[in-house]
Each structure stands twice: as C-alpha cells, then as structure tokens.
Amino acid sequence: MTRTTVVRLLTFNALMRGDVRARLRALGTVLEQSSYDVVCLQEVLLHRHATLVRRLARHYGHHARSGSPLLEGGLVLLSRWPIRTARFVRYPRTGPPRPEYLMRKGVQLAVLDTPAGPLAIANTHLSANRDGDWSPANRYTRVARAELDHLAGELARLDPALPVVAVGDFNVPRTAAALTGFLARAGLTDVLAGDPAPTYRPTPRWPAPPAFDHVLIRPAPQRELSAEARIVLRDAVTLPGGRPGYLSDHYGVEAVLSLGG
C-alpha cells in the first residue's frame, strides 16, 4: 500500500548584510510559529548566526551545516525529521575574481528520513551575475553554467531510488537558457514554471527583477513526488526593538510536496 506524506518546505535567502542579528531573530520567531517541516536557508555566513536561528526555531530538532566560524556556502538546513546524511560540495572557482569567493559557493546535499521514506534535498546558492546579463555569451553566465553542470553531476550521483528536491538562490532567472538546460540535463521540473513573479524584492533601481529562487523536483522510480509552490515572506515584520523591517532583500518560496512511499 502506497503511503503519502506531505512535506512543507521553505527556501529563503536570509541576506548576509545589514542588521543581520535582528533580522535572524525575527526569522527564527517566524519559523518557530510556522508549519514548515524543512527549511533551507542561504546567506547565513556565521556559525553563531545559525545557532541563533536554531535556538529560536527550537521545534526543528535536526539541522545540517558545516564550517566554523564561517559556514560553508552560507547554507543551513533545519528539519523536523531526522537527517540521515549531509555533506557540502563546493563549486569550482571560475570566472572573474570577486569577493564572493569568500562564501565558498556550493551545494548542501542531505537525505531526510520522512514517514514516506528517504528524501534527498539539495540546498544551493550559485554565484551572482554582476552584469545583470544572462545571455549565453556573458562572462557570469559561463560561471552559472559551470556551477549548474557541477550540481547536475552531484545530483546524478545520488541513489536513483531517491526522490530529489533542489532549492535555493540560483541567481539565474527562470527563463534563462542556463537554467532550462540544467533542468533538462538533471531531469528536474520547476514547480513554479511560467510564474513571472519576482523572488527578489523590487527596488526603485530595479523595479522588475526576475525570479532567482527556485524549487525543482525529480521523482524516483516507484516514488511519486509532486508539489505546489508560492512566494511568501514578502511583508515587513516587527524587528527586535519594535521597529518595522523586512526579513531579507529576497522573498521566500514555500512548497507543499506530496511524497509517495
């Protein structure tokens, strides 16, 4: 008899600049009050910042992160279910030298034990395109392609019996050829395909940014996986001290996954 489990997942770039501790305190409170089963965070650079979020979001009894005092890739995974394995893989350094090298961009690969069986999660943050040009010949597009190729290789090495969810800040628009080519190579489906809404907060200087944050899924033989997603965490919150502010310069993406066992 097939068993189905609903997995509520959030991916969110928490922004490494500005009033970080105040925003992470507010985020931890939001997560503690939420019904998410799995939370994938990007741009949590310091070990103590990850500890702060975990202390506030105490209902997540399991977590994955690596590195101290700087976290590898700035990646953190919180889970209500046990984490069977977790590892970080760094992307190769390519393209123009940039301060971003200090973040050690890569992917966090974890396998969770859910009631419907194991589920692979890939939490990633790719290099930013500093030209704002995602055409094939652009120098940063070449960086993105190299990182996506590396990610596709890591996903191909996972146990083929595992359903896969790849999430994070890909720094590549949904319609860019680099991303659509990666989806085809890796056998992934974009849960929000066709949705034109941005996941980066619009500003006067950039009033119509694209979607950079994605939820991508791949079922496995005899393991169904489907999902619905929506953009969340758009509104201002009350930060410690009572002042209003936003949690990040990104929005979050929430996915409700139906996982067959």
Side-chain angles (χ1 to χ4, degrees):
M1 181 176 180
T2 300
R3 176 177 46 178
T4 300
T5 294
V6 173
V7 180
R8 293 175 174 85
L9 178 147
L10 172 73
T11 179
F12 186 56
N13 181 321
L15 181 59
M16 63 182 180
R17 301 182 304 277
D19 198 352
V20 176
R21 286 189 66 84
R23 289 185 292 97
L24 290 180
R25 285 183 179 276
L27 175 62
T29 300
V30 168
L31 296 179
E32 178 65 10
Q33 296 171 353
S34 76
S35 61
Y36 298 124
D37 302 300
V38 182
V39 176
C40 295
L41 301 176
Q42 304 90 42
E43 287 201 23
V44 181
L45 292 193
L46 297 179
H47 187 274
R48 59 187 174 90
H49 287 165
T51 299
L52 171 64
V53 173
R54 189 180 180 219
R55 176 168 57 82
L56 293 169
R58 61 185 183 277
H59 287 165
Y60 298 90
H62 310 275
H63 74 285
R65 58 185 174 179
S66 57
S68 182
L70 293 178
L71 295 188
E72 292 181 309
L75 302 172
V76 175
L77 186 149
L78 305 175
S79 175
R80 297 181 189 267
W81 291 314
I83 299 173
R84 179 182 298 184
T85 62
R87 61 189 176 93
F88 173 79
V89 177
R90 187 174 184 176
Y91 293 139
R93 286 187 175 183
T94 58
R98 51 200 184 276
E100 202 171 29
Y101 280 164
L102 297 176
M103 291 181 66
R104 295 176 287 178
K105 291 290 183 73
V107 59
Q108 184 181 47
L109 295 159
V111 177
L112 310 186
D113 280 323
T114 81
L119 172 67
I121 302 286
N123 177 25
T124 192
H125 190 185
L126 272 65
S127 294
N129 188 312
R130 297 179 180 273
D131 295 337
D133 172 8
W134 291 274
S135 62
N138 179 263
R139 55 182 179 163
Y140 289 110
T141 296
R142 292 194 291 271
V143 173
R145 281 201 303 266
E147 293 178 348
L148 289 168
D149 284 346
H150 202 85
L151 176 56
E154 292 298 329
L155 296 181
R157 281 186 279 274
L158 293 174
D159 183 345
L162 287 173
V164 175
V165 183
V167 303
D169 178 2
F170 285 74
N171 269 316
V172 178
R174 174 162 289 120
T175 57
L179 186 65
T180 57
F182 162 71
L183 296 179
R185 291 193 302 278
L188 293 161
T189 298
D190 181 355
V191 176
L192 282 173
D195 190 333
T199 63
Y200 185 87
R201 187 176 303 282
T203 66
R205 294 184 60 184
W206 201 4
F212 291 133
D213 306 85
H214 308 300
V215 175
L216 316 173
I217 63 172
R218 185 177 75 194
Q222 302 179 0
R223 294 287 308 282
E224 294 182 0
L225 177 62
S226 60
E228 295 181 353
R230 65 187 184 109
I231 298 170
V232 296
L233 304 184
R234 301 174 187 241
D235 300 330
V237 299
T238 301
L239 299 175
R243 55 194 174 83
Y246 293 106
L247 290 175
S248 177
D249 57 350
H250 282 246
Y251 301 141
V253 181
E254 169 191 292
V256 179
L257 312 169
S258 295
L259 175 64

